[in-house]
Amino acid sequence: DIIYDGIILNITKSINTLDYLSKEEKHQLLVEFNDTDVDYRKDKTIIELFEEQVEKTPSNIAVKSLSQSLSYTELNERSIRLAGILQSKYAIEVSDKIAVRIPKSTDYIAVLLGVLKCGGAYIPIDSSYPDDRVEYILKDSGAKYFISDEACNFDFPFINVIELTSNLAVDDLFTAPKYNISQSFYAIYTSGSTGQPKGVEVLNESFLNLINWYTKELSIDSSEKVLFLASSGFDLAQKNIFSTLLSGAELFLDEALVEDFTLCLKTINSE
């Protein structure tokens, strides 16, 4: 009817210039559907919000694997000790990019938090990536160090994660830097299907916006258990990790679950 009336009243106009939406439909499309503002904390970085969650749910299980579990307090303390070593022995500081290739485990999460507590940004690299792809990401990203359980077959500053996590001396004191919500949080690399992989830096403030939506959309709270199976180098994985840790929920991860579907199903049923 709207188009018909428009033709009758404007017989000299081209049909593609005529309105075909009612005022109510226009308002719905332009105003109601675009009303997506959500209140969330904009004054804290994600690492600061994680520390607040530790205070709220100190004894909740934060991360769990097939062989180990850490409460929020234990995970926080472990990441602080790791941050102390990264600061004192490797001079990692604000805005440094640190590439991380570690199989899914409780220590994988502790290392990510340790890097973030130094004010750095992490670059997740999946354990299955071939050497040429790893080498390209390391050099293209400007990473300061490569933390991994396996040394690379090319020259690059390397930190052995087994040595790093097995010598968490109390005397490696950690000094928290001044955090900034505009700092890089992590850098993710594309699949490279149209050429070389391309790196994208994600800021604390934009990632927090995404996490806030993701948490509400999936109704994640402190009673939840979240199974983390996605590739570490996949963008979705970062949401899985931090939507869980900022909610007081439990993150279950183990590299063996990715490789063995039967074991994965058995673990899901037992949990």
Side-chain angles (χ1 to χ4, degrees):
D1 288 346
I2 294 174
I3 295 179
Y4 177 78
D5 291 341
I7 293 172
I8 297 300
L9 296 173
N10 303 279
I11 59 174
T12 61
K13 287 189 175 182
S14 172
I15 194 169
N16 65 357
T17 66
L18 300 177
D19 284 336
Y20 58 90
L21 296 175
S22 67
K23 289 183 178 179
E24 293 77 12
E25 288 173 316
K26 283 185 181 179
H27 185 271
Q28 186 180 43
L29 287 172
L30 300 175
V31 179
E32 292 178 24
F33 288 172
N34 279 314
D35 184 17
T36 57
D37 287 344
V38 177
D39 289 330
Y40 64 95
R41 294 287 298 275
K42 302 180 180 70
D43 60 330
K44 300 282 187 180
T45 62
I46 291 175
I47 202 68
E48 289 172 310
L49 292 175
F50 166 72
E51 289 165 351
E52 287 186 3
Q53 188 61 53
V54 172
E55 294 181 4
K56 293 175 185 176
T57 54
S59 58
N60 280 21
I61 297 299
V63 286
K64 186 176 182 180
S65 68
L66 293 172
S67 60
Q68 183 183 35
S69 65
L70 296 175
S71 69
Y72 273 81
T73 296
E74 291 168 334
L75 176 61
N76 190 49
E77 290 177 349
R78 191 164 182 79
S79 64
I80 288 173
R81 291 192 179 185
L82 283 165
I85 294 176
L86 293 174
Q87 279 184 336
S88 63
K89 295 185 179 178
Y90 300 98
I92 292 175
E93 54 191 17
V94 173
S95 297
D96 282 343
K97 296 184 183 69
I98 310 299
V100 181
R101 183 186 66 184
I102 305 172
K104 293 182 181 68
S105 62
T106 55
D107 270 339
Y108 174 63
I109 304 302
V111 167
L112 295 187
L113 291 171
V115 170
L116 294 168
K117 281 181 180 288
C118 292
Y122 69 91
I123 304 166
I125 297 179
D126 193 88
S127 299
S128 65
Y129 285 176
D131 282 350
D132 58 345
R133 181 178 174 90
V134 175
E135 182 176 18
Y136 171 80
I137 291 174
L138 292 176
K139 293 180 177 178
D140 181 74
S141 66
K144 187 171 186 176
Y145 282 103
F146 177 40
I147 302 178
S148 179
D149 63 328
E150 297 179 3
C152 49
N153 297 319
F154 42 86
D155 185 31
F156 199 87
F158 171 72
I159 300 175
N160 187 313
V161 70
I162 298 172
E163 295 178 6
L164 179 67
T165 56
S166 62
N167 296 293
L168 300 182
V170 179
D171 56 353
D172 288 304
L173 297 179
F174 166 65
T175 303
K178 185 176 181 180
Y179 300 113
N180 187 328
I181 61 170
S182 297
Q183 288 173 207
S184 291
F185 186 72
Y186 68 89
I188 203 83
Y189 271 75
T190 64
S191 64
S193 57
T194 59
Q196 289 283 26
K198 298 169 184 64
V200 178
E201 288 192 37
V202 178
L203 306 183
N204 264 268
E205 53 189 341
S206 57
F207 188 57
L208 182 56
N209 185 16
L210 177 63
I211 286 295
N212 182 75
W213 166 81
Y214 191 71
T215 302
K216 290 188 175 182
E217 189 73 11
L218 299 182
S219 301
I220 301 172
D221 59 32
S222 60
S223 67
E224 300 290 341
K225 294 183 179 182
V226 178
L227 181 61
F228 172 31
L229 293 175
S231 164
S232 301
F234 185 37
D235 208 29
L236 172 64
Q238 320 318 312
K239 296 196 289 288
N240 285 346
I241 294 169
F242 289 97
S243 62
T244 305
L245 296 181
L246 296 191
S247 302
E250 177 185 313
L251 185 70
F252 199 111
L253 72 168
D254 199 296
E255 200 66 35
L257 300 180
V258 181
E259 301 167 354
D260 188 333
F261 175 76
T262 303
L263 177 61
C264 181
L265 188 60
K266 181 180 178 181
T267 302
I268 292 172
N269 290 332
S270 66
E271 288 292 318

